Amino acid sequence: MKNMKKLSTLAAGVLISVVAITAAHAGSKVPPLAPLGDPPIPADNKMSAAKTKLGKMLFWDPRLGGDASTACVTCHEPDQGWGFADAFSRGYPGTVHWRNSQTVINSAYLMKQFWAGSAASNEKQAPSAAKGAVAGNGENDVMEARLAFIPEYRKLFNEVFGTEWPLISDAWKAIAAFERTLIVKDTPVDKYLAGDKKALSKQQVRGMKLFNGKANCIACHNGALATDQKYYNLGVPTAERWNEDGLAQVTYRYEIYAKGVTQEMYRKLKDDPGFYFRTKEKKDMGKFRTAPLRYLKYTAPYMHNGAFWDLTEVVNFYNAGGGQNDFTDGTMSKNKTPILKPLGLSETEVEDLVAFLEGFSGQELKIKAPKLPDYAPLPNPASN
Amino acid sequence: MKVISYKKRVTSALFAGLIGTTALTGAVIAGENDHGPVKMIKVNAKKAELGKRLFFDVRLSGDAAISCATCHQPDKAFTDGLALSKAYPGSKGFRNTPTLMNTAVRKNWFHDGRIGTNLNDVTREMITETYIMNMDMRLMQERIKQDPVYVKMFKDAGYGEPSNGSVRKAIPEYLKTLTSRNSPFDKGTMSASAKRGYEIFNGKAQCASCHTGANFTNDKAYNRGVPENPEIWSDPMRHMTYVAFGLFMGIENIMNIRRDVGAHILTHKADGSDIGKFVTPTLRELKYTAPYMHNGMFKSLFEVVAFYNQGGGDDKNKDPNMKPLGLSFGEQQDLVSFLEALSGDVLNTKAHAWKDKIPTNYETIENWRSVKN
């Protein structure tokens, strides 16, 4: 906390110089990169040590899911960048997911969670993760009943929320509070932005200049979060896996069916229309939320469908001016963002940019798995 | 378990049984309870065949771990031999799995009778219920569409493209084929002891006041004072499954209750006098369906009969008509012989059970990009 104050004063100084750079090279007014502050804490879900302790246990607890096999941590593994190291995330047993598992690191800052931004906070995100048929496949009454049979949880929920019996809505609050402790903000880039000029190598500083200038990454990846939380179609290529895996084909159709599209769309779609599900407007097909860029080193593969396995591939993709998919090439729509243009970066410049992105990663955040408490019979009620 | 086959004689035997029964019934309770054989139901063979495959397919459950047949096993007359049923992984059952024999002629379903419409709704309930198959029907539909065998079967059955709506039609069509046949009672081949038992059943023991009709049930709920199964309350996994059910059904004071309220969830009487009522079950195929009662508290038919003979159990809501019967040991044995004589063929051949392998994975649609979803 104390450190933070110092950082923000420092940040104010840096702010000015970055704005200057942005203005000079990108030519548009976007907030510059800035060191990350503390995540916002909602007034109705204050932090406490007991709450985050409980939230951590729940994050690890597979009993918050249908068949008690799939916890949050199952798809958000600390040693896989708090995500899942495959193009598509693993799914609930008997399924595969259809998108890449995002890191939960720094999700606390995001007002638009998920690749297509469909959840407004950690509190709102958690239940849809625990309930979705290819994620947790849990159901409120079942999960709430299970919590009631774990004496240690009864005690902790009572301590934190004052209820006699654990409420599932409070479980999401506790998990959200825990996620607000999964913060990585002291990356070399943050330190550099806060005034520590030695925090980045010369190469990384060159990369940063490209980021803010010639490569124009700053047009979307801007501000302290390195994302404008807006939606673009970059032309990320359609996932190959749908061509070759029946299980993935099942999930694909399930997702477009469950998210609700017209009959005609259901028949024709062969790629993830992303933000379109939320607006049902053709112009939003294939758009995804600008991804925040901290912790990247640990979170490969990249993009909503895990299309790229390393950061060089990502930068090469941008260098080529992005790519094509069903929603850019006219198959379904022509929504490629006009912001992306071939960048003409040399091989060294690509390397510089990658080095800079790695500088956004910081230390790997590892914590010890909690010990999960067991079920026990309920004591007999005082009077019956 | 001995499988007795009377295939050659089915029709004539059924006919004979019918006459014999009518005569007997007439003698004892003046034709009030039509205890004849259960009528076969005409079904669409292709739809029923499809329903059969679905019934045995684990991909109809959320994590693809269990099928209907996991709990409703054909060699046990579509029960599971357990006091309290299995459940979807992560949960444990709190009721006994009922037989599905003759389920199509019931007027309501489940031990508490909570569904009174049709088997389409019952099927949906089984598929989507969290502690049964916990399946999102939309995902189920897409799984089924991925299996070329199903695509063809749905089409041949006249359903067109696989959909969750037609799954809920095809399974009931299959359930309609599960009709009791060839029991000694129906064929008129009961032993002397069973015949004596039938008279007691209709007369002195007054069993026939509830166990009426071809299926030996009036589909109404009563409190028989069946003791609670303590395992539901001592095993946290069973108890929590009941709590989840109770939360969903809106059972009052669910965290402090230590009993299965039964049909109370439908009638919600404020004084609680409807707590502990359960729907009269069929008495057919009992030989294969032990243990008995809604919570499997009785291991043998002799225990059930002894329970009735002592006037049922202790419960303040117990049906007041339930009085000690004063049956001798021999009479109780006769009653058991009769109950056993209501068991017929085990429907565990290809005709009623899917014996071919059903894949658990999903074939890839090869030209994925060019075919319509």
Side-chain angles (χ1 to χ4, degrees), chain A residues 88-109:
Chain A
F88 287 167
S89 174
R90 58 154 291 165
Y92 184 71
T95 75
V96 63
H97 208 283
W98 78 321
R99 287 182 182 156
N100 179 259
S101 177
Q102 293 164 295
T103 184
V104 292
I105 298 290
N106 293 352
S107 64
Y109 296 89

Side-chain angles (χ1 to χ4, degrees), chain B residues 37-54:
Chain B
V38 184
K39 277 209 204 94
M40 296 286 178
I41 302 173
K42 243 187 97 151
V43 300
N44 176 312
K46 287 195 169 141
K47 290 179 174 160
E49 188 69 4
L50 168 59
K52 189 201 302 176
R53 191 172 191 259
L54 290 164

Side-chain angles (χ1 to χ4, degrees), chain A residues 56-67:
Chain A
K56 176 178 170 184
M57 292 161 97
L58 296 173
F59 191 87
W60 253 267
D61 198 328
R63 289 168 292 193
L64 283 186
D67 65 357

Side-chain angles (χ1 to χ4, degrees), chain A residues 7-301:
Chain A
L7 270 182
S8 30
T9 23
L10 277 174
V14 180
L15 209 76
I16 299 163
S17 55
V18 181
V19 174
I21 293 171
T22 315
H25 295 270
S28 62
K29 271 202 193 132
V30 292
L33 293 178
L36 199 53
D38 285 327
I41 308 294
D44 59 356
N45 194 18
K46 292 264 172 343
M47 302 288 279
S48 76
K51 194 187 276 182
T52 56
K53 176 185 169 193
L54 174 62
K56 176 178 170 184
M57 292 161 97
L58 296 173
F59 191 87
W60 253 267
D61 198 328
R63 289 168 292 193
L64 283 186
D67 65 357
S69 71
T70 315
C72 308
V73 78
T74 312
C75 302
H76 298 286
E77 296 200 18
D79 60 3
Q80 298 179 28
W82 294 81
F84 190 79
D86 204 346
F88 287 167
S89 174
R90 58 154 291 165
Y92 184 71
T95 75
V96 63
H97 208 283
W98 78 321
R99 287 182 182 156
N100 179 259
S101 177
Q102 293 164 295
T103 184
V104 292
I105 298 290
N106 293 352
S107 64
Y109 296 89
L110 298 168
M111 277 130 61
K112 289 167 182 158
Q113 303 199 359
F114 288 127
W115 288 106
S118 57
S121 66
N122 285 128
E123 281 83 354
K124 297 213 170 80
Q125 188 282 333
S128 51
K131 286 150 94 170
V134 301
N137 200 25
E139 190 270 339
N140 282 348
D141 294 329
V142 171
M143 294 188 282
E144 201 163 276
R146 286 184 186 151
L147 295 173
F149 283 79
I150 303 167
E152 202 170 326
Y153 283 159
R154 283 206 300 278
K155 198 169 139 274
L156 277 168
F157 273 85
N158 177 268
E159 223 173 283
V160 175
F161 298 105
T163 52
E164 186 185 1
W165 301 103
L167 294 176
I168 195 69
S169 51
D170 287 337
W172 311 136
K173 284 187 170 177
I175 288 177
F178 168 63
E179 287 174 314
R180 292 193 178 99
T181 69
L182 301 177
I183 302 298
V184 172
K185 59 179 185 184
D186 52 355
T187 71
V189 172
D190 287 281
K191 288 182 187 149
Y192 182 88
L193 292 171
D196 176 1
K197 294 296 167 199
K198 287 197 291 266
L200 292 181
S201 69
K202 284 209 174 90
Q203 185 190 25
Q204 286 173 319
V205 173
R206 288 198 304 273
M208 182 164 174
K209 286 213 175 97
L210 291 165
F211 188 94
N212 287 320
K214 185 173 175 187
N216 197 25
C217 314
I218 193 76
C220 308
H221 297 283
N222 52 44
L225 282 174
T227 166
D228 57 4
Q229 297 195 67
K230 290 186 182 138
Y231 305 93
Y232 304 95
N233 185 338
L234 309 179
V236 173
T238 308
E240 277 301 319
R241 187 156 171 189
W242 285 320
N243 295 324
E244 43 205 48
D245 176 7
L247 188 65
Q249 293 173 346
V250 169
T251 298
Y252 176 79
R253 283 195 312 269
Y254 161 71
E255 288 288 350
I256 56 169
Y257 181 38
K259 288 193 163 65
V261 293
T262 60
Q263 170 83 296
E264 193 206 344
M265 279 298 166
Y266 169 82
R267 298 290 173 202
K268 287 202 331 215
L269 283 168
K270 292 289 174 184
D271 196 355
D272 183 346
F275 188 54
Y276 168 80
F277 287 127
R278 308 207 14 240
T279 64
K280 303 283 153 76
E281 290 192 50
K282 216 167 171 172
K283 70 173 176 47
D284 291 324
M285 284 186 157
K287 287 188 181 173
F288 292 90
R289 180 200 70 190
T290 304
L293 299 180
R294 281 183 185 76
Y295 215 61
L296 280 175
K297 207 160 119 184
Y298 312 108
T299 63

Side-chain angles (χ1 to χ4, degrees), chain A residues 337-348:
Chain A
T337 173
I339 300 173
L340 293 192
K341 305 224 162 63
L343 301 174
L345 301 178
S346 70
E347 224 166 283
T348 338

Side-chain angles (χ1 to χ4, degrees), chain B residues 11 45 71 92 118 129 137 195 208 233 247 274 292 313 327 338:
Chain B
T11 23
C71 301
K92 275 190 185 177
N118 51 51
E129 180 58 77
M137 297 261 265
K195 282 181 185 157
W233 319 110
L247 288 171
D274 52 356
Y292 304 105
L327 303 179
F338 165 66

